[in-house]
Amino acid sequence: MKRCVSVWSMAVATMLACVPPVLAQVATSAPAVVPGAVPATVTQITVHAPSIAGNLEGESAERAVLVILPPSYGTDLKRRYPVVYALHGYSIGAEQWAKEIHVPQTVEGAFAKGARDMIVVMPDAKTIHNGSMYSSSVTTGDFERFIAHDLIRYIDSHYRTIADRKSRGLAGHSMGGYGTTRIGMKHADIFGALYMMSPCCLSPRAAAQLDPATATLLDAVKTPADSASLPFLARAQLATAAAWSPNPKKPPLYLDLPDGSSEHRDAVLAKWAANAPLAFVDQYIGDLRRYKAIAIDVGDKDGLKDDARTLHERLDEYGIANSFEIYDGDHTNHVASRFQDHVLPFFSQHLTFPPVG
């Protein structure tokens, strides 16, 4: 059963609020099977990511990717398709994400209920510390560029896609919602519509000292692999630091934590704050105006709802059209039905499809 946890008053708090602290895979309810739904094809491929190669942490540049092809893909061989890139959350990878949103059932259900056929791509961004934050770091590699360039280049060259930003959508949940927000703001030349599901890590957090117990645990980590034995919150600290406060001169972890002197702590937290979308959204208003549609949703029992609302309000202040919904739910329990009944229909309405006939 999912429960909320107490977290530090810092950037990582937004990611972890009301997220299961132990289980990487959470059980989510599946929507009812839609009568008449036609099977989609799910394949797992490996995509080489030059942007991740050579990272200090040793993350593999060979990334697992799930590709879900619509029912018509194998029969209408001249047809090209829009693509939706769907990003998973912290502590899971693409395979677990697919189980949480009940793929392919929900994709097939969306098509059966009227969504137009499109390709859905689910890349794996899990790291040795359980999450890349879809960010750019010499320690983890440039996962932001992997999503916005390497992956798209591969998919466009190996599948019958419509290789145009107006036919590309970006969506994600939790850490993936953060990735959608971050990458969407910075790469409006690549995507045409955005859907942020319960996005985490949107706002900077006030400075706070690591508690002694957590500091002791982190001091005992001598290799990146040692983080596998850490509790959820401590491991998330390392993931955040690896993504947002890398330090190439500090082996073996190559990161800085907000510990030690107040000057060092403040410097690290300033780097974390610089990665908060609510801190840098004002720099990308012109880019955000390029999107045909932007959607944000979050559960009413999700600790992330206030930041999600603030992002919506910030966009409204600038006159950027966006939809915002707080629905009856927590962080994960309705994510599958939201994906079927809201996310894919949203892209069906707002991406550019080939002419019919």
Side-chain angles (χ1 to χ4, degrees), residues 226-307:
D226 291 344
S227 76
S229 62
L230 290 174
F232 184 88
L233 297 177
R235 200 172 189 188
Q237 274 280 76
L238 291 181
T240 303
W244 295 342
S245 51
N247 186 339
K249 294 185 178 181
K250 198 173 180 180
L253 299 182
Y254 300 102
L255 54 84
D256 284 326
L257 288 164
D259 55 10
S261 69
S262 59
E263 292 81 6
H264 175 79
R265 184 176 70 248
D266 291 347
V268 171
L269 290 175
K271 292 181 180 182
W272 291 16
N275 284 276
L278 286 173
F280 61 71
V281 60
D282 306 272
Q283 303 172 47
Y284 294 98
I285 298 306
D287 301 274
L288 287 165
R289 292 192 194 282
R290 298 184 63 183
Y291 284 101
K292 183 176 181 181
I294 297 172
I296 308 167
D297 71 15
V298 65
D300 60 353
K301 302 172 188 66
D302 192 331
L304 304 176
K305 65 179 182 298
D306 290 338
D307 278 356

Side-chain angles (χ1 to χ4, degrees), residues 19 22 31 43-44 49 56 81 120 135 146-147 189 191 202 229 256 285-286 303 318 327 335 340 350:
V19 178
V22 178
T43 59
Q44 180 170 314
L56 298 174
Y81 297 83
V120 178
S135 297
F146 165 58
I147 300 298
D189 58 325
F191 301 99
L202 295 181
S229 62
D256 284 326
I285 298 306
Y318 280 106
Y327 58 87
V335 66
Q340 172 184 282
H350 296 294

